[in-house]
Amino acid sequence: MSQKVAVLGTGKIGEALLSGMIRAGWTPADLLVTARRPERAEELRARHGVTPVTNAEAAKTADTLILTVKPQDMGTLLDELAPHVPADRLVISGAAGIPTAFFEERLASGTPVVRVMTNTPALVDEAMSVISAGTHASAEHLAHAEEIFGAVGKTLRVPESQQDACTALSGSGPAYFFYLVEAMTDAGILLGLPRDKAHDLIVQSAIGAAVMLRDSGEPPVKLRENVTSPAGTTINAIRELENHGVRAALIAALEAARDRSRELASGNN
């Protein structure tokens, strides 16, 4: 962990990653950050003990560059970095929809690039980060990316061809669960519960269900069947979900998210 790592464009996810790395044993002095606003950079220094630098300084100094700017800003950032990034630097992209070839074409020939799609549970060390290798990235580079993102949750290696699907499922995934909890909370209020009590009931049920899915080894259909007694309340609710096409709507929604990720990759912002 003596290598220097720079996080460029350090927003909420970038800061969560820094915080997790420090807890995992990285030395703050080996962590560099860049931010659009100087006051943001100083805030990161005060909070975490990391070193604010310019993008060019990060490219010259760090062994690993983690690019966390928005997809639409990535081209401009690469134009700024390209003159300063040696071919032995590991570049990790956290931008949705942008393929590793986009970086390889703009950086020195042979630059290793790793693509990572993480999600907002990184803020609570429960991220799902999906990792893919570019043309020049080795197993060692992938392991280093796993070490970094493993500080804030789980990691999974996939071929880059599966990244758009993973973006639809796990990158955007937390929003779907928040949407479901929002709808269930409204239903609880309609059924006569105060909002705070409905919220607590649903959130704890969601946590319990998630732990069962993770730890029981049972497929979700089996766990659902265990709750669904003949002619009971649950099967009546499931019938209404099916009547309203909820399953089909979810599939269509995930396909739409995947398609948008592909559009971002093609430059259609």
Side-chain angles (χ1 to χ4, degrees), residues 140-165:
E140 183 180 354
H141 294 130
L142 286 172
H144 187 48
E146 287 175 330
E147 183 182 24
I148 291 171
F149 283 85
V152 291
K154 291 189 67 175
T155 64
L156 177 69
R157 294 188 193 184
V158 301
E160 188 170 11
S161 61
Q162 296 177 359
Q163 273 280 357
D164 292 322

Side-chain angles (χ1 to χ4, degrees), residues 199-224:
H199 176 84
D200 290 347
L201 287 166
I202 295 161
V203 170
Q204 184 55 41
S205 296
I207 292 170
V211 172
M212 290 179 71
L213 281 167
R214 185 190 65 192
D215 297 345
S216 69
E218 298 282 2
V221 64
K222 176 65 175 175
L223 294 173
R224 180 182 60 77

Side-chain angles (χ1 to χ4, degrees), residues 4 21-22 67 72 80 86 93 99 115 117 132 166 190 198 202 221 233 249 260-261:
K4 287 191 178 295
M21 291 171 69
I22 291 169
L67 313 185
Q72 58 267 33
E80 183 180 354
S93 165
R115 179 176 171 182
M117 183 69 250
S132 301
C166 292
L190 181 65
I202 295 161
V221 64
T233 59
R260 179 55 180 156
S261 183

Side-chain angles (χ1 to χ4, degrees), residues 112-132:
V113 179
V114 172
R115 179 176 171 182
V116 180
M117 183 69 250
T118 193
N119 57 17
T120 56
L123 298 168
V124 293
D125 291 348
E126 291 291 349
M128 182 71 252
S129 300
V130 184
I131 297 175
S132 301

Side-chain angles (χ1 to χ4, degrees), residues 7 20 51 96 207 231 243:
V7 179
T51 304
I207 292 170
N243 286 343

Side-chain angles (χ1 to χ4, degrees), residues 27-260:
T27 302
D30 289 331
L31 300 177
L32 312 177
V33 297
T34 77
R36 181 172 295 178
R37 296 178 293 108
E39 58 270 27
R40 169 62 173 163
E42 287 305 314
E43 179 182 279
L44 292 167
R45 184 208 298 270
R47 187 175 296 159
H48 303 289
V50 296
T51 304
V53 294
T54 66
N55 290 329
E57 288 170 338
K60 296 173 185 176
T61 307
D63 302 287
T64 300
L65 304 174
I66 305 174
L67 313 185
T68 63
V69 300
K70 295 177 180 179
Q72 58 267 33
D73 296 329
M74 192 61 76
T76 301
L77 176 62
L78 289 176
D79 289 342
E80 183 180 354
L81 293 178
H84 309 290
V85 179
D88 62 350
R89 293 286 191 269
L90 171 59
V91 175
I92 299 176
S93 165
I98 302 183
T100 55
F102 181 89
F103 300 87
E104 293 166 349
E105 291 167 0
R106 289 161 174 78
L107 298 173
S109 178
T111 300
V113 179
V114 172
R115 179 176 171 182
V116 180
M117 183 69 250
T118 193
N119 57 17
T120 56
L123 298 168
V124 293
D125 291 348
E126 291 291 349
M128 182 71 252
S129 300
V130 184
I131 297 175
S132 301
T135 304
H136 309 293
S138 67
E140 183 180 354
H141 294 130
L142 286 172
H144 187 48
E146 287 175 330
E147 183 182 24
I148 291 171
F149 283 85
V152 291
K154 291 189 67 175
T155 64
L156 177 69
R157 294 188 193 184
V158 301
E160 188 170 11
S161 61
Q162 296 177 359
Q163 273 280 357
D164 292 322
C166 292
T167 297
L169 264 70
S170 66
S172 300
Y176 313 145
F177 290 103
F178 299 147
Y179 181 86
L180 180 61
V181 169
E182 180 186 0
M184 291 177 70
T185 302
D186 287 344
I189 295 169
L190 181 65
L191 296 173
L193 291 169
R195 178 175 293 275
D196 60 341
K197 287 185 171 58
H199 176 84
D200 290 347
L201 287 166
I202 295 161
V203 170
Q204 184 55 41
S205 296
I207 292 170
V211 172
M212 290 179 71
L213 281 167
R214 185 190 65 192
D215 297 345
S216 69
E218 298 282 2
V221 64
K222 176 65 175 175
L223 294 173
R224 180 182 60 77
E225 287 174 349
N226 290 343
V227 187
T228 310
S229 55
T233 59
T234 305
I235 192 60
N236 273 273
I238 296 296
R239 180 187 63 185
E240 288 302 313
L241 291 172
E242 294 293 352
N243 286 343
H244 286 80
V246 172
R247 187 186 301 265
L250 282 171
I251 293 171
L254 291 169
E255 287 179 331
R258 178 208 57 198
D259 293 345
R260 179 55 180 156

